[in-house]
Amino acid sequence: MQVLKFGGSSVANAENINKVAAIVKDAAAKKKTLVVVSALGGITDTLLAAGTLAAAGDESYKENLALIEQLHLEAVKALIPVTNQSSVLSLVKKQCNEIEDICNGVYALQELSLQTKDRIMSYGELLSSQIIAHRFQNLGMSAVWKDSRELIQTNEQFGNAAVQFVETNQKIQDYFLGNPAGLFVLPGFIAATAKGVTATLGRGGSDYTAAILGGALNADAVEIWTDVSGMMTADPRLVPNARIIPDISYQEAMELSHFGAKVIYPPTIQPVMKKDIPVWIKNTFAPEDYGTLIQKESIGQDAVRGISSLNKMALLSLEGSGMVGIPGFSKRLFEALAGAQINVVLITQSSSEHSICVAVDEVNVSKAKQVVDAAFDYEIETGKLEPLQIEEGLSILALVGDQMKSHPGIAGKMFYVLGRNGVNIRAIAQGSSERNISAVIAADDVKKAINVLHEAFFEESYKQINLYIVGVGNVGSRLLEQLEQQRAYLLEILRLQVNVVGIANSKKMLIKESGIALSNWKEALQEGMEMDLDQFVAMAAAKNLRNAVFADVTANESVALIYEKLLRKSISVVACNKIAAASSYAHYSKLKQLAREFNCHYLFETNVGAALPVIGTLNDLLRTGDTVTKIEAVLSGTLNFVFNNYDGSKSFASVVKQAQDEGYTEPDPRLDLNGTDVMRKIMILARESGSILEMDAITNESFMPESCMQGSVADFYAAMEQEEAHFKAIYDAAAKDGKKLKFVAQFDNGKAKVGLQHIDPAHNLYHLYGKDNIVLFYTKRYPEQPLVVKGAGAGADVTASGVFADIMRTMNA
C-alpha cells in the first residue's frame, strides 16, 4: 500500500490535475493507492479572506465567494466530459451555497471563531478532492472518494487540532483494510472532533494527513508530490547553485523543515518515523526526477546536509545581576511566554547566568514584552533585572546534518566564513545531538550568509567573487579584457567565477547583481546611470553580496577617500590608486586596521612595481620573522624608460612624450618626473616594513627645473624643450664616466630619500632596461647579498595583471 499526496501547486488548475491523474494511474496499477489532495491553488487563502471580511462587516466577502465558485465550476467543465458534468456541477454549487450560508452568518454576527474558520477552510479540500475523484473515474480509474473527517479524530483545539491517534488509527484500519478498492481519494488538512465537528490540522495539514494514513496502515511509502524535485541544500530563490539532496534522515528533514524549508513540515515526519516508513519528495511536473528520499538514516557522507533560515524573528534578552545563582528565572520566563501562547524558537544563556536570550516570531514581540515585564515586575522595580530588551529585524540561520557531530571544525568553519563576509552573529545555539548549529543574524544579511555557507560546505571546488570596478581607462579596460580572457580558465582550473557586478568611470556607472557581460561592457556602461560615487558605494553596500571586492583603477583622491566606508561593510578593496596608502600614516594605518576588524582585505600590490611581487615578498619576509634593514630601488618604470632611451640624440621632452604615449606614465607625467610618485612608493614600502613615515620626511633630490613644473601639461612639454641643455648636461656628466642615470629610492635606518644617481656597471641597478623596476631588500637574512625583485614596472597590461592578482588574493585566508 502507498500514500500519494499532491499539494496546491499540483492541483492548481485543470492542466495540472491531468498531470496528477497520469502519475496516479501509473502508481495505482502497481499497488493499492491512497491519494491525498490539497485545495486548488490559492483557494484556502481566498476562503480565509472571505471569512475575515465577513467578520469585519465588509460585503466584499461575496466577491471572494463568487470567485471560489467560478474557479471550481471552470475546473469541472475542463475536467469532466459534458455528459457527466451535471452531478459534479450540482455538488460544487451545493457546497458553495453552504460556504455562503456560513459567511452570511459570520457577517450577521461579525464574529469569526476558530471553529467557524476551520469549517470555512475545510471546503477547499472537500471541493478539490471530489472533483479530482470524479476526474479519475472519468478516466477509467475506479476511484473511491472518502471524507477524511470520518477517519481522523482530533481534540477541540480548532486551527491546529491534535490528532487522537488510538481512535484515528483504528478507524483508518477498519475502513481501508476491509475495503477491496484499489484507489482512494481523500481531502487533506481536515479532520473532525469526537463530536463530528470539523477541525483542521494546521500548517502543512495535507502532508500530515498523508503521514497519518501511511503510519496507520504501515504503508510501503508516503510520497509528497509538489512543484520542486526534492529537498534542496538551500533555498534556490536565494542560492542559484542549490542542489537536490537525494537522501536525508527523518531528523535532518525535521530540522531543515523547522527552519524554513517549506517542502515538508515537521509534524508530517512523526507518524511515519515511528514505523520507519520512507517518505519521497517528488515533482509533479518532472515525475521522472529522483527526488528526495527521507528515511531512518541518510546514505550520503556529507557532514552538512542543508542550510535553512527562519525570517522575521526577534531576540528577547533578560539581563541582570539579580539572576546570578538564583534558580527559577528561566522557568518563570518560559512560563510567562507559554501562558501567552508564544513559541520559543531558540534559547541561549550566558555561562555567567547574567543573561538569557530567546528568539520568537516578530509578531509576538509586543505581547512578549508585556507578559515578561509583568512576570518580573518586582525584580525590575528593585533593579535586580533590566526590563526585557528586544531586538527585531533578525533571522535564524541553521546548518543541519546528522554527521556534523563526527566532523570537528564545522562550527569554526561556519563562523569563520560568516565573519569573513561581515555577518555579525547575535546569538548561537547548538543542540546536544550536534545535528543543528543555529545563529541569529540580521535579516539583511540572510542572502549573503546562506550563499557563503553554501559555497563553503557544498561548493568547495567552486567560488564566486563579486567585483566592482571604478576606473575603466587604459588599465581598467585591460583588466576587464583579462577577466574575460581568463574566464574559462578560472572556472575549469581554479573553480572560481569572477562576477563583475559593477563598473564605473567618471561619467557613467552600472550595477547588475547577476553580472555584467564583459563582451559588451562598454555599450552597457553607456546605458548606465550618471556617475555618483557616493551612490555607487551605497548601492554596493546595499547589495550586501558575498566575497565582494572593490577595485580602484583610478588615480582619483575622491575614490581613495571612500575605502573606509567599503571596508566597514566587509567589502575588500584592491587599489591600483596610490593616494590612500600614501596618505597620512594615521589614515593608512586605519585602513589596514579596518580590513582586519571587518575580516576583509586592503591590497595594493600595484602601488609599487605594477605586477611585480614587491609588497607580497616584503610581507612574506616579515611574516616569517625577518627584519628589513635597508631598501634600495628603482621604482619608476617611467623614469627608467626615459633614461634608458635618452642619449641626447633626440630631445628629453620627446622621450617623455613617448613614455606617456606607450602608457608608462601617470596621467600627469610631472608626478613621475618630479619624484613624487617614487616618494610615495618608497614610503609605502617603508610603512609595510614597519616604519612610521610621512611624505614630508622624505628627501627629494629633484633633477627637474622649476620652470617645467608650472602651468598645464602642454606648458610642461614646452618648458622641457626649452631646458634641453639642462637635460643634456645631466646625461653627459654620467656618460663620460661610463655610468648610467637611474632615479633611485632608498630607505635606510628609518630615513628615506629619492634622487637621480650615476650608476656604475658593477652595481645591481646598472643592468636595468626598458621600463623595468628593481627592488633590493637588505634584511637580517640577506645582509650583504640582497633579495632582488626585478621586472616590468609599468604598462597597462602588467598593471592590470597585478590588480587581477590582488583580486584573486582576496579569496585567500
Side-chain angles (χ1 to χ4, degrees):
M1 185 177 292
Q2 59 189 344
V3 181
L4 280 61
K5 176 264 175 178
F6 293 90
S9 58
S10 298
V11 295
N13 51 50
E15 180 184 357
N16 292 0
I17 290 171
N18 282 326
K19 295 182 189 301
V20 169
I23 293 167
V24 170
K25 186 173 184 178
D26 182 60
K30 299 171 184 175
K31 61 181 69 174
K32 194 168 186 174
T33 302
L34 280 61
V35 176
V36 176
V37 297
S38 297
L40 302 186
I43 292 297
T44 301
D45 287 341
T46 309
L47 284 165
L48 183 58
T52 304
L53 290 168
D58 188 338
E59 288 192 354
S60 63
Y61 75 89
K62 295 179 181 178
E63 297 174 9
N64 288 44
L65 299 182
L67 176 61
I68 291 166
E69 182 173 331
Q70 176 192 340
L71 291 173
H72 286 93
L73 291 175
E74 288 176 354
V76 171
K77 292 172 182 176
L79 292 166
I80 310 300
V82 175
T83 54
N84 299 328
Q85 279 181 10
S86 60
S87 63
V88 188
L89 291 172
S90 176
L91 180 152
V92 170
K93 289 289 290 183
K94 178 177 178 296
Q95 295 197 359
C96 286
N97 289 339
E98 291 175 10
I99 302 170
E100 185 176 9
D101 289 343
I102 297 169
C103 287
N104 288 342
V106 170
Y107 178 78
L109 295 173
Q110 294 194 12
E111 179 184 348
L112 181 63
S113 67
L114 289 175
Q115 180 177 332
T116 304
K117 187 184 293 185
D118 275 5
R119 179 72 188 282
I120 293 172
M121 289 193 296
S122 71
Y123 282 97
E125 275 73 15
L126 287 170
L127 284 163
S128 66
S129 60
Q130 291 180 84
I131 293 171
I132 290 168
H134 280 87
R135 175 57 177 165
F136 289 175
Q137 292 164 5
N138 279 273
L139 289 172
M141 294 185 277
S142 299
V144 175
W145 180 80
K146 180 62 175 175
D147 190 338
S148 299
R149 293 175 296 183
E150 297 173 4
L151 301 173
I152 301 175
Q153 184 173 314
T154 70
N155 65 7
E156 296 184 357
Q157 187 179 327
F158 298 103
N160 190 17
V163 176
Q164 296 172 338
F165 277 99
V166 173
E167 295 82 0
T168 295
N169 289 345
Q170 189 62 56
K171 289 181 178 182
I172 291 172
Q173 291 163 8
D174 289 346
Y175 178 76
F176 288 104
L177 297 181
N179 195 317
L183 176 61
F184 301 86
V185 179
L186 302 94
F189 181 55
I190 64 174
T193 68
K195 297 176 182 178
V197 179
T198 299
T200 63
L201 300 175
R203 191 179 71 158
S206 292
D207 290 354
Y208 197 19
T209 302
I212 293 166
L213 292 168
L217 297 169
N218 289 310
D220 299 320
V222 172
E223 298 179 5
I224 307 297
W225 289 81
T226 181
D227 56 1
V228 294
S229 295
M231 298 188 75
M232 304 191 77
T233 49
D235 187 340
R237 294 169 298 181
L238 300 178
V239 182
N241 297 320
R243 61 179 191 242
I244 301 296
I245 305 171
D247 67 275
I248 192 169
S249 73
Y250 294 125
Q251 290 83 1
E252 289 171 328
M254 284 194 292
E255 292 281 4
L256 284 174
S257 298
H258 176 71
F259 282 95
K262 306 302 184 192
V263 175
I264 197 168
Y265 293 93
T268 301
I269 304 296
Q270 295 292 347
V272 292
M273 184 169 66
K274 293 177 182 177
K275 303 283 186 72
D276 285 346
I277 298 170
V279 177
W280 282 95
I281 308 298
K282 300 284 285 181
N283 189 343
T284 304
F285 309 101
E288 69 285 351
D289 287 357
Y290 182 82
T292 296
L293 173 61
I294 306 173
Q295 55 189 346
K296 186 175 182 180
E297 293 182 359
S298 57
I299 301 169
Q301 298 302 309
D302 291 338
V304 177
R305 305 314 302 275
I307 306 162
S308 194
S309 64
L310 204 56
N311 299 318
K312 296 184 179 179
M313 304 302 297
L315 202 60
L316 313 180
S317 300
L318 193 65
E319 298 183 6
S321 57
M323 294 175 62
V324 181
I326 307 298
F329 275 92
S330 298
K331 176 177 179 289
R332 291 168 61 192
L333 172 63
F334 296 131
E335 282 180 342
L337 294 172
Q341 299 294 305
I342 297 172
N343 183 44
V344 174
V345 179
L346 177 144
I347 306 165
T348 180
Q349 184 170 14
S350 67
S351 57
S352 67
E353 301 181 53
H354 184 265
S355 67
I356 182 168
C357 295
V358 298
V360 302
D361 194 299
E362 271 187 354
V363 299
N364 294 319
V365 162
S366 297
K367 186 164 51 171
K369 172 74 171 169
Q370 181 180 356
V371 298
V372 173
D373 282 352
F376 293 97
D377 179 65
Y378 172 74
E379 287 84 356
I380 293 170
E381 188 69 28
T382 56
K384 293 180 179 180
L385 290 182
E386 298 293 328
L388 187 70
Q389 297 175 34
I390 295 171
E391 186 176 354
E392 298 183 67
L394 301 174
S395 293
I396 300 177
L397 199 64
L399 208 63
V400 173
D402 278 344
Q403 298 182 47
M404 293 198 308
K405 58 181 175 290
S406 59
H407 285 73
I410 298 291
K413 185 176 182 179
M414 174 183 180
F415 299 137
Y416 169 75
V417 297
L418 291 176
R420 187 176 181 275
N421 278 272
V423 178
N424 186 42
I425 297 172
R426 292 288 298 108
I428 300 165
Q430 183 173 14
S432 58
S433 67
E434 299 184 55
R435 186 178 290 119
N436 180 325
I437 305 173
S438 299
V440 180
I441 64 173
D444 290 343
D445 286 332
V446 165
K447 182 177 180 180
K448 177 166 70 172
I450 291 180
N451 273 278
V452 297
L453 288 177
H454 196 273
E455 193 173 75
F457 288 102
F458 295 102
E459 303 168 40
E460 292 279 5
S461 59
Y462 180 85
K463 305 289 183 184
Q464 178 172 296
I465 293 174
N466 289 295
L467 179 63
Y468 300 89
I469 300 175
V470 173
V472 287
N474 205 10
V475 175
S477 60
R478 300 294 177 86
L479 172 61
L480 287 164
E481 288 175 13
Q482 291 175 12
L483 289 169
E484 175 69 359
Q485 290 166 2
Q486 293 297 103
R487 179 185 294 274
Y489 171 83
L490 292 174
L491 280 171
E492 182 179 350
I493 306 302
L494 300 183
R495 306 302 297 162
L496 178 68
Q497 180 186 37
V498 180
N499 187 35
V500 178
V501 292
I503 297 177
N505 59 20
S506 60
K507 296 179 181 178
K508 293 283 188 178
M509 66 181 188
L510 173 65
I511 288 182
K512 185 179 179 183
E513 186 173 336
S514 60
I516 299 166
L518 299 187
S519 57
N520 64 338
W521 66 266
K522 291 181 181 179
E523 294 81 357
L525 182 59
Q526 286 303 310
E527 299 299 319
M529 304 165 60
E530 292 298 314
M531 175 55 174
D532 181 321
L533 182 59
D534 289 335
Q535 186 180 2
F536 187 85
V537 171
M539 290 170 69
K543 289 290 182 186
N544 204 17
L545 300 177
R546 71 189 190 279
N547 304 325
V549 180
F550 179 94
D552 177 6
V553 198
T554 74
N556 188 293
E557 184 176 7
S558 297
V559 180
L561 290 174
I562 52 88
Y563 295 174
E564 184 175 335
K565 290 181 180 178
L566 294 161
L567 295 171
R568 288 185 182 278
K569 292 294 184 179
S570 297
I571 298 175
S572 293
V573 173
V574 169
C576 180
N577 188 344
K578 290 183 279 290
I579 291 175
S583 62
S584 69
Y585 182 83
H587 184 63
Y588 154 87
S589 181
K590 185 176 185 180
L591 294 177
K592 300 270 285 187
Q593 184 270 329
L594 285 172
R596 290 190 296 270
E597 180 181 349
F598 290 93
N599 294 296
C600 53
H601 296 269
Y602 171 41
L603 301 175
F604 42 89
E605 182 68 76
T606 52
N607 280 194
V608 181
L612 292 179
V614 176
I615 294 175
T617 300
L618 173 55
N619 289 334
D620 287 343
L621 289 170
L622 299 175
R623 275 193 289 264
T624 56
D626 205 353
T627 303
V628 175
T629 57
K630 178 182 176 182
I631 301 172
E632 192 172 23
V634 172
L635 296 173
S636 172
T638 302
L639 288 170
N640 199 44
F641 177 89
V642 168
F643 286 113
N644 278 329
N645 286 277
Y646 178 66
D647 58 6
S649 60
K650 53 183 179 180
S651 71
F652 188 78
S654 66
V655 176
V656 173
K657 188 65 171 64
Q658 180 186 351
Q660 184 179 27
D661 291 343
E662 294 186 20
Y664 302 144
T665 74
E666 293 289 323
D668 185 343
R670 286 173 291 189
L671 291 174
D672 294 296
L673 271 70
N674 72 359
T676 299
D677 190 53
V678 176
M679 290 171 70
R680 287 174 175 169
K681 292 175 178 178
I682 194 62
M683 181 174 68
I684 290 169
L685 291 182
R687 288 174 171 179
E688 287 292 289
S689 67
S691 293
I692 299 174
L693 188 67
E694 302 286 0
M695 279 286 280
D696 58 11
I698 302 173
T699 302
N700 182 1
E701 299 168 352
S702 178
F703 67 93
M704 290 295 292
E706 185 61 30
S707 62
C708 295
M709 310 311 292
Q710 308 299 320
S712 65
V713 173
D715 295 332
F716 158 68
Y717 278 108
M720 281 195 295
E721 291 288 359
Q722 294 174 5
E723 296 284 357
E724 176 59 24
H726 166 77
F727 300 118
K728 184 65 166 60
I730 291 174
Y731 171 79
D732 290 341
K736 71 180 179 64
D737 295 328
K739 297 181 179 181
K740 288 185 177 180
L741 291 169
K742 301 292 179 187
F743 197 86
V744 180
Q746 291 178 307
F747 175 70
D748 192 3
N749 292 319
K751 295 184 179 180
K753 67 176 182 178
V754 301
L756 202 58
Q757 295 185 17
H758 294 186
I759 304 299
D760 65 52
H763 199 285
N764 278 310
L765 304 182
Y766 185 86
H767 297 286
L768 193 66
Y769 304 104
K771 59 184 180 298
D772 285 0
N773 280 190
I774 187 170
V775 181
L776 285 61
F777 290 114
Y778 293 87
T779 73
K780 285 186 177 180
R781 292 183 193 145
Y782 300 92
E784 296 178 3
Q785 195 71 17
L787 175 62
V788 179
V789 180
K790 178 181 178 182
D797 279 325
V798 293
T799 304
S801 70
V803 176
F804 196 159
D806 266 352
I807 292 167
M808 297 299 101
R809 289 187 189 101
T810 63
M811 293 301 289
N812 298 331

